[in-house]
Amino acid sequence: MIKERVAQLRELMKEHQLDAYIIPSFDAHQGEYVADYWKSREWISGFTGSAGTVVITLDDAGLWTDGRYYIQAEKQLAGSGIRLFRMADPEVPFYTEWLADVLKEQATIGFDGRVFSTQLVERMKKDTAAKQMKIHAKDDLIGQLWHDRPAVSDAPAYIHDVKYAGKSRTEKLAEVRVEMKKHQATHYLVASLDDIAWLLNIRGTDVPNNPVVTANVLITDTNCTIFIDSKKLRQDVKEVLEADGIEVKEYEETTATLEKLPTDAVMLYDDQRINYALDEAIPTAVKRIAKTDVTTTLKAIKNDVEIENFKACELRDGVAMVRFIKWLKEEVASGNITEIAAEQKLEDFRREQADFVEPSFDTIAAYKENAAMMHYKAEEATQKTLEAQGLFLVDSGGQYYDGTTDITRTIALGALTDEEKHHFTLVLQGFIALSKVKFLHGSTGGNLDVLARQPIWAEGIDYKCGTGHGVGFFLNVHEGPQSIRNSNHVVLEKGMILTNEPGIYLEGKHGIRTENMLVVVEAEKTEFGQFMAFDTITYCPIDVDAIEVELLTQAEKQWLNAYHEEVYAKLSPYLNEEERAWLKHETRAI
């Protein structure tokens, strides 16, 4: 089927006189996670990962993806005729560099301009300039072939109460306008869906697991306009927005409005989040200032209300996790639990919790060697049945009105091999090192990433992804600009939320990851400057049955014992007597 689709695409390419056609993962708002309508790359390739780009030429085809998906991509591309390009590996060219190498002079590269950011297109132009290649960004060729393409969502938007958000939309707009003035911008275009949701305190269901609504926003020093399908706005929601000075226009009016901007306008936008088609609508004479969305930086630093809400929702999420792990360990010997059954049971426990809305991403419920695929998704035809032995990895989270959670636990279902326990402990050591670090203000995630990798590196092992990412507040589970990876240079500020999730992934054997969420806090201030630290806000036991205890230092044991004391103290009041007894044993001192 995939080969047939690629062949059909090549015929269309010939009709349009295209030498290559590029299909990325993005939607019209450059989101990491997208609605089914936008899953063109998955449709043309069969690869279901959240990140990757397919390039089709008239005689070759490739998929570029990162280290999280190497194993998965190899399996899903088998027999498709599409080659895997491992982006994180040395000497692997970026796909625009590859095109510049393999295509002839003055070749034409096609793509849908809605799903490419301005920044990516500018890089493409630069990489292909030497051969004077041409860009054709007008046609959605996949849309012409995909006859049963899912419909675009028309689900309603709703208001996110300020008791959760901590700040009103008018307060947030005032902060944005202060930043606009710093850059002498007359207009600010926002297309990032989670930024829009945060800015206007609205939420929706347009993207699975991400409570966002499809819209664009244009801000001036006096006006704010949201461009949104009017069918998505109930009258009461529209009235709330208009009462705060938000003008409502149809989504399709975005382009026409941009085309009419005065030539002396100064446009601020994020060229990584604005699609090329929108940028092309802005008059050439308009001055452009491209930088990370100011909303992205503002929402990354959670206010006190958001942080307290986060902690409250993490308690309920921890209760769900404890009940799940207890159920799993007690029932696994029955031989009736599959990966999907475990995934569904965990969601059931979360749904019992107050203010739960939906999972924050597709749960990764992976037994034994399946867990070596970092973003594994269990399927009916290929899932494993759990046994009372080996390791089971579950990476999951919840969307709550008062926060977003992301947690991974690797669980010993019974007897483990020496290698499994050893690797579990190496991961734990890196996890503890990052959890307990104190660092000088000005440090970045790139400075700290090595701490989590050191125990693993010491034995010649690595994981081909970052160690942690930012998390939104009842928003996207992956949120920037901060992250813990060697390439990130964003200063870690008080109030930022990040994950801590080192791991070991051995193809054909096992995958191990332990993950908590952390908030950046201030430590002491001395003559050397302001020191910072992490406060752990995830509460769930780490499986002591999987630890090679003699490998831990005394300080590591002390950290783990203190963490487990806190887990028991915070969660036990919400558990029944039997659950408390179980948790007491799981959090025993080592």
Side-chain angles (χ1 to χ4, degrees):
M1 180 183 295
I2 297 302
K3 281 188 173 181
E4 292 173 2
R5 291 174 179 176
V6 171
Q8 291 171 355
L9 176 59
R10 285 185 171 130
E11 290 304 311
L12 265 184
M13 289 165 57
K14 291 174 185 176
E15 290 179 23
H16 288 79
Q17 298 182 317
L18 301 177
D19 299 286
Y21 195 78
I22 310 175
I23 310 100
S25 303
F26 304 120
D27 59 10
H29 300 268
Q30 311 306 298
E32 177 186 9
Y33 297 104
V34 300
D36 289 346
Y37 174 88
W38 295 103
K39 292 183 178 179
S40 298
R41 190 226 59 227
E42 179 178 327
W43 184 86
I44 195 66
S45 69
F47 170 63
T48 60
S50 67
T53 299
V54 167
V55 180
I56 308 293
T57 69
L58 296 176
D59 57 9
D60 203 353
L63 166 75
W64 278 253
T65 192
D66 62 56
R68 295 172 295 170
Y69 294 113
Y70 288 171
I71 300 172
Q72 176 182 338
E74 287 280 11
K75 293 177 183 293
Q76 293 183 328
L77 294 179
S80 69
I82 301 173
R83 297 191 288 144
L84 173 62
F85 288 78
R86 299 170 178 250
M87 285 174 57
D89 289 5
E91 309 304 321
V92 173
F94 193 63
Y95 60 85
T96 53
E97 296 171 329
W98 180 77
L99 284 172
D101 182 53
V102 301
L103 294 183
K104 63 183 184 297
E105 295 268 351
Q106 299 184 334
T108 301
I109 300 171
F111 54 87
D112 179 356
R114 298 173 301 166
V115 297
F116 266 83
S117 70
T118 291
Q119 186 182 86
L120 274 174
V121 175
E122 290 305 314
R123 173 167 183 176
M124 190 185 309
K125 291 177 179 178
K126 180 180 177 181
D127 288 346
T128 60
K131 283 189 173 180
Q132 299 179 312
M133 293 184 184
K134 292 168 282 189
I135 300 296
H136 181 87
K138 300 295 184 183
D139 296 308
D140 175 16
L141 298 190
I142 301 299
Q144 296 180 39
L145 298 172
W146 191 359
H147 302 302
D148 58 348
R149 189 173 191 169
V152 175
S153 169
D154 61 359
Y158 56 95
I159 300 297
H160 190 222
D161 200 295
V162 72
K163 72 179 181 181
Y164 300 120
K167 288 183 181 179
S168 68
R169 63 187 61 83
T170 54
E171 289 176 295
K172 293 176 179 179
L173 279 166
E175 292 177 350
V176 166
R177 288 180 172 124
V178 168
E179 296 301 315
M180 288 174 62
K181 286 182 180 179
K182 290 179 183 178
H183 297 283
Q184 298 181 317
T186 62
H187 295 72
Y188 174 32
L189 180 60
V190 190
S192 166
L193 300 187
D194 58 319
D195 287 80
I196 291 168
W198 173 86
L199 175 66
L200 300 184
N201 286 349
I202 58 174
R203 298 294 189 270
T205 58
D206 286 352
V207 180
N209 306 323
N210 296 267
V212 296
V213 60
T214 302
N216 292 308
V217 166
L218 184 63
I219 305 167
T220 70
D221 60 347
T222 57
N223 299 312
C224 176
T225 303
I226 182 171
F227 300 89
I228 185 170
D229 182 348
S230 59
K231 295 193 297 292
K232 303 174 72 63
L233 281 189
R234 299 191 313 263
Q235 187 61 29
D236 60 328
V237 174
K238 183 179 181 182
E239 289 173 358
V240 167
L241 294 175
E242 290 178 336
D244 282 334
I246 313 298
E247 183 182 11
V248 178
K249 289 188 176 182
E250 290 290 342
Y251 183 77
E252 289 77 12
E253 292 183 67
T254 309
T255 298
T257 301
L258 293 176
E259 289 173 342
K260 295 174 184 175
L261 289 176
T263 55
D264 62 348
V266 179
M267 175 63 77
L268 176 67
Y269 64 20
D270 187 338
D271 62 351
Q272 296 183 72
R273 304 307 299 270
I274 295 298
N275 72 55
Y276 183 65
L278 282 185
D279 197 358
E280 285 284 276
I282 300 171
T284 305
V286 170
K287 180 181 178 182
R288 292 156 167 80
I289 301 172
K291 69 181 300 294
T292 299
D293 273 314
V294 297
T295 47
T296 298
T297 302
L298 291 171
K299 74 176 165 55
I301 301 174
K302 310 313 182 204
N303 61 57
D304 291 343
V305 173
E306 288 175 312
I307 291 172
E308 289 308 307
N309 278 322
F310 255 122
K311 291 178 179 179
C313 103
E314 288 280 12
L315 286 175
R316 301 194 303 280
D317 203 66
V319 168
M321 283 295 299
V322 162
R323 288 175 175 158
F324 167 73
I325 297 172
K326 177 178 182 293
W327 167 84
L328 181 66
K329 290 206 168 196
E330 291 174 350
E331 296 296 324
V332 68
S334 70
N336 297 321
I337 301 175
T338 63
E339 292 171 330
I340 292 177
E343 174 185 338
Q344 292 172 338
K345 188 68 174 181
L346 176 52
E347 184 172 333
D348 290 343
F349 282 122
R350 279 201 171 96
R351 289 195 179 278
E352 294 173 355
Q353 303 303 314
D355 287 340
F356 177 81
V357 178
E358 64 180 335
S360 55
F361 55 96
D362 286 342
T363 297
I364 301 167
Y367 184 45
K368 290 189 173 180
E369 66 268 23
N370 284 347
M373 292 180 274
M374 294 184 206
H375 281 222
Y376 170 78
K377 174 65 177 172
E379 298 179 355
E380 289 283 354
T382 57
Q383 65 172 327
K384 285 184 175 294
T385 298
L386 278 53
E387 303 172 25
Q389 62 173 342
L391 293 171
F392 175 65
L393 183 153
V394 59
D395 185 352
S396 66
Q399 293 286 10
Y400 299 80
Y401 290 124
D402 54 352
T404 299
T405 67
D406 185 2
I407 176 173
T408 307
R409 288 297 183 265
T410 306
I411 303 161
L413 298 183
L416 303 181
T417 66
D418 290 344
E419 182 183 57
E420 287 170 334
K421 294 187 75 168
H422 187 67
H423 286 170
F424 184 97
T425 309
L426 293 178
V427 170
L428 177 61
Q429 287 180 302
F431 171 86
I432 292 173
L434 187 56
S435 299
K436 66 197 290 287
V437 65
K438 185 189 295 183
F439 53 96
L440 192 62
H441 181 259
S443 299
T444 70
N447 299 136
L448 304 183
D449 181 81
V450 65
L451 296 172
R453 295 181 194 269
Q454 191 55 50
I456 299 167
W457 279 359
E459 302 208 10
I461 306 171
D462 190 27
Y463 48 95
K464 296 300 183 182
C465 62
T467 298
H469 55 83
V471 179
F473 180 77
F474 187 37
L475 278 173
N476 297 3
V477 74
H478 290 165
E479 178 180 278
Q482 78 279 12
S483 67
I484 301 175
R485 62 174 63 238
N486 59 15
S487 60
N488 189 277
H489 306 297
V490 174
V491 172
L492 298 178
E493 301 286 358
K494 177 184 176 183
M496 285 183 169
I497 304 280
L498 300 107
T499 63
N500 170 13
E501 47 181 313
I504 289 177
Y505 311 93
L506 297 184
E507 185 172 1
K509 287 190 173 182
H510 54 255
I512 297 164
R513 178 162 65 251
T514 300
E515 176 187 16
N516 277 351
M517 285 170 53
L518 315 170
V519 58
V520 180
V521 297
E522 291 180 341
E524 72 269 24
K525 188 173 185 178
T526 72
E527 67 270 29
F528 300 103
Q530 177 67 59
F531 284 86
M532 313 295 286
F534 291 124
D535 181 12
T536 297
I537 59 172
T538 299
Y539 316 110
C540 180
I542 296 166
D543 201 332
V544 296
D545 292 330
I547 300 172
E548 186 181 339
V549 177
E550 56 271 23
L551 194 62
L552 297 181
T553 66
Q554 190 60 36
E556 289 166 343
K557 292 177 185 176
Q558 289 174 350
W559 184 92
L560 184 60
N561 289 340
Y563 173 68
H564 276 158
E565 283 184 16
E566 182 180 26
V567 167
Y568 183 80
K570 287 185 177 295
L571 298 187
S572 58
Y574 304 96
L575 304 174
N576 63 35
E577 184 176 349
E578 180 183 337
E579 292 165 343
R580 284 195 297 272
W582 181 88
L583 182 59
K584 190 71 173 177
H585 178 262
E586 292 297 307
T587 57
R588 64 192 182 275
I590 60 171

